[in-house]
Amino acid sequence: MLWQASSPLWRSCGMSGKKALIHGVGSGRAVAPSFVQERARPALIVERRTSALLDHIWGYGGRLGHTPILDALERHAKVERTSLHVPGHHSGRLFYDGLSPWLGQALRIDLTELPGLDNLHAAEGCILESERLTATHYGADATYFSVNGATACMMAAIRACVTPKRRRVILLGPCHVSVWRGLVHADAEPVWLPSPWRSDLQAFECPHPDALYTALKKHSHVACVVVTSPTYQGFVADVAGLAAACHDAGVPLVVDEAHGAHFGLHPMLPPHSVSQGADIVIQSPHKTLPCLTQAAWVHVTGDAARCRAVRDALSFLQTTSPSYLLLASLDAAQAWLTSGRDTVEATLATLAKFRELEPNRDPMRVWIPTGDFAASQRLADGLTRHGMFLEYADAAGALAIFGFGQHERELAKFFAVLRNWQESEAWPMVRRHTDSLEALYELGTSEHALCPRQVDETTGRMVPLAQAAGRVLKRAIAPYPPGVPALWPGQTLSGDAVAILMRLRATGQTLIGLELEDQIEVCDD
């Protein structure tokens, strides 16, 4: 049977929704709810695993934080007998049989904007209450939920800051592609301040406040400054120093803290950027907190006008049919910020048994720089043989991201495999010379001939790299590793840049943005 209709899985189980959700097997004491007992089926295993996961999310069955969205969904699920509204699966009564066991009771709260469930685009009830609880935790003046990830938050932040009289955006160090999309969306003018590449770390240095002070004195009409902290590899910038530089110039600081929603939960973790004076902070709780993928939030500190500007810009970029599963997940994540502190402390104490916790680094991730794809892959393969999977392993290195509540035996196995790999690779490794790479990133500071919006609206054509000097780039050029653009669309490709690119290509360096036979896309005349 591929589709199930009116399955017993969706009948009332005689207990409150939240209790049913967290009545799991994490402690080994679970009893299958009545609706599962009445009909044996494979869903039982998935239901129990789902319950155990939710037990973990709310602190191993400990006290629950306040969850206004989840509470409202639970109240509705208890009284609804017949669905005469979207979505089309109608509380899970009709759903693909191969997927429904994995989703379990979650389909009962996959709802729409019904009475009592508020509206993400005009929040005044349970959604607003949950957003305010989140803002209170971080110390922000306002927090807004996103069901379109941190990408929408970053685009909204830039759009909210840019005005006709202030269109320049200073970009510190490497940045996510969402920043470029935000520049196009806001019709902004970028000013790039690339950070030096550290060959010993196979990563970029974090930007220094002194460089920002200089840039802010040089450039006028700056709408905002954007920085990524922490980086993907876990390096944390001096956000307090950067914020001070921005505020001296009367410019807001936007921090892409997608990988730092857990910051500030314990003294062994770096402080979050709101506490360091940043004006707009974007976080992806799904990356480091118990939260569903794609769920994000943005914190705003400032007057009501700034808060409204971010809220309205974000609303423009979000679906009018937001997923209540994602909203409930964000609600649960903000509750876990309070209820999960014991789990955070226990996890960090366990990690300290296996590694030295370094300052200005996220202790919840381990970055292993290799400068060699084969070496990185050998580590990944060794871990895979034990059923462990890295975040990624590439020509720069390998990245492991730990989760709160990770068992000590899992961490012990990871570090044992890592030590064996280091011994077999004669660690530390000798990494290739990167003078050309560093020189290429220095060229990324050149002025733009076209702004991002103009590049987006201009047609492009392919030309040989050897003949591209003096042409305006249509696509970014990113050496891989590190995979971060060194030259951006709208910049004029200099003769020096062409020479460096050809030299890198001759050494076997992968260059994202170059096509077969070293063709490069430029803006049409």
Side-chain angles (χ1 to χ4, degrees):
M1 181 178 68
L2 293 180
W3 296 86
Q4 59 180 24
S6 302
S7 167
L9 187 62
W10 318 119
R11 297 176 187 169
S12 174
C13 60
M15 63 176 70
S16 74
K18 188 183 292 183
K19 288 181 181 177
L21 282 173
I22 66 168
H23 193 68
V25 296
S27 61
R29 303 188 307 273
V31 177
S34 59
F35 72 88
V36 173
Q37 290 176 334
E38 68 182 71
R39 179 181 176 185
R41 54 184 292 143
L44 171 59
I45 297 174
V46 178
E47 281 296 310
R48 286 183 168 177
R49 287 175 179 170
T50 302
S51 298
L53 172 62
L54 289 168
D55 221 14
H56 167 73
I57 287 175
W58 279 293
Y60 296 106
R63 66 185 183 87
L64 302 179
H66 185 32
T67 52
I69 298 175
L70 192 57
D71 291 347
L73 291 168
E74 175 190 352
R75 286 192 296 269
H76 183 90
K78 288 169 66 176
V79 300
E80 180 174 285
R81 294 295 175 263
T82 302
S83 165
L84 302 176
H85 54 77
V86 298
H89 60 71
H90 294 279
S91 299
R93 287 176 173 81
L94 180 68
F95 213 74
Y96 182 62
D97 196 47
L99 180 58
S100 60
W102 294 99
L103 296 179
Q105 282 206 95
L107 289 171
R108 296 185 64 199
I109 59 171
D110 182 30
L111 297 168
T112 187
E113 292 89 346
L114 299 170
L117 298 186
D118 209 355
N119 186 320
L120 180 62
H121 291 275
E124 58 183 10
C126 60
I127 295 175
L128 177 61
E129 185 179 358
S130 186
E131 289 178 331
R132 285 176 171 173
L133 287 168
T134 312
T136 298
H137 170 82
Y138 288 100
D141 291 317
T143 293
Y144 302 108
F145 288 173
S146 169
V147 295
N148 197 23
T151 291
C153 295
M154 176 54 72
M155 294 176 66
I158 294 174
R159 180 66 186 87
C161 292
V162 172
T163 67
K165 293 184 179 180
R166 286 178 173 260
R167 295 180 57 224
R168 286 199 177 100
V169 176
I170 295 179
L171 304 160
L172 303 177
C175 60
H176 190 261
V177 67
S178 60
V179 174
W180 174 257
R181 293 176 182 175
L183 296 173
V184 173
H185 178 56
D187 195 15
E189 298 177 3
V191 177
W192 305 97
L193 292 182
S195 297
W197 171 256
R198 288 274 302 273
S199 59
D200 58 326
L201 297 176
Q202 288 292 292
F204 291 96
E205 285 185 3
C206 289
H208 196 278
D210 289 345
L212 179 56
Y213 272 109
T214 302
L216 287 168
K217 289 179 180 179
K218 178 181 178 181
H219 298 282
S220 59
H221 309 297
V222 175
C224 64
V225 172
V226 177
V227 66
T228 300
S229 179
T231 62
Y232 205 175
Q233 296 84 6
F235 299 99
V236 181
D238 178 6
V239 175
L242 297 174
C246 286
H247 297 161
D248 282 352
V251 173
L253 175 64
V254 178
V255 179
D256 180 353
E257 198 170 66
H259 287 268
H262 60 301
F263 282 9
L265 284 173
H266 190 276
M268 293 170 68
L269 292 168
H272 59 73
S273 293
V274 178
S275 69
Q276 299 301 289
D279 302 279
I280 302 176
V281 179
I282 294 110
Q283 295 176 334
S284 292
H286 73 87
K287 287 181 167 64
T288 59
L289 301 180
C291 190
L292 292 178
T293 298
Q294 197 172 311
W297 51 45
V298 53
H299 311 298
V300 187
T301 301
D303 58 22
R306 175 180 293 164
C307 293
R308 285 196 303 271
V310 173
R311 178 198 65 192
D312 294 346
L314 182 59
S315 180
F316 187 86
L317 296 165
Q318 300 216 72
T319 176
T320 55
S321 301
S323 166
Y324 271 84
L325 291 179
L326 293 182
L327 292 172
S329 179
L330 286 166
D331 191 33
Q334 67 79 16
W336 189 87
L337 291 170
T338 300
S339 64
R341 289 181 180 271
D342 289 346
T343 303
V344 172
E345 184 169 6
T347 303
L348 291 171
T350 302
L351 271 172
K353 298 178 182 179
F354 299 99
R355 62 174 303 194
E356 182 179 347
L357 304 184
E358 304 172 64
N360 302 318
R361 297 281 291 271
D362 180 5
M364 293 301 293
R365 58 190 63 203
V366 172
W367 169 240
I368 306 107
T370 65
D372 181 76
F373 178 80
S376 299
Q377 196 58 51
R378 284 191 291 272
L379 173 58
D381 291 344
L383 290 165
T384 300
R385 285 192 290 271
H386 293 277
M388 293 184 284
F389 292 83
L390 293 168
E391 173 72 5
Y392 73 84
D394 65 11
L399 178 64
I401 301 178
F402 305 122
F404 293 112
Q406 200 117 36
H407 291 293
E408 182 170 346
R409 64 177 179 273
E410 295 174 334
L411 295 174
K413 176 60 68 176
F414 168 80
F415 283 102
V417 173
L418 177 60
R419 284 193 300 271
N420 290 337
W421 172 85
Q422 289 173 331
E423 292 171 2
S424 66
E425 299 288 342
W427 187 265
M429 303 180 68
V430 177
R431 301 176 186 92
R432 59 174 174 255
H433 200 54
T434 56
D435 283 354
S436 294
L437 197 62
E438 294 171 12
L440 184 64
Y441 278 99
E442 288 297 323
L443 294 175
T445 59
S446 63
E447 296 293 328
H448 277 60
L450 297 176
C451 71
R453 176 75 63 80
Q454 290 173 315
V455 174
D456 189 62
E457 295 173 348
T458 301
T459 58
R461 64 190 183 94
M462 306 302 296
V463 300
L465 174 60
Q467 301 173 20
R471 307 301 298 266
V472 177
L473 285 170
K474 174 70 174 175
R475 293 179 58 192
I477 303 298
Y480 184 84
V484 174
L487 303 172
W488 290 87
Q491 290 182 321
T492 300
L493 196 60
S494 67
D496 288 342
V498 169
I500 293 173
L501 288 171
M502 294 182 71
R503 189 159 63 245
L504 288 170
R505 194 66 156 173
T507 63
Q509 174 79 46
T510 298
L511 296 171
I512 299 172
L514 257 63
E515 302 292 337
L516 294 175
E517 299 178 354
D518 289 349
Q519 296 280 308
I520 190 170
E521 187 174 12
V522 298
C523 293
D524 220 346
D525 295 332

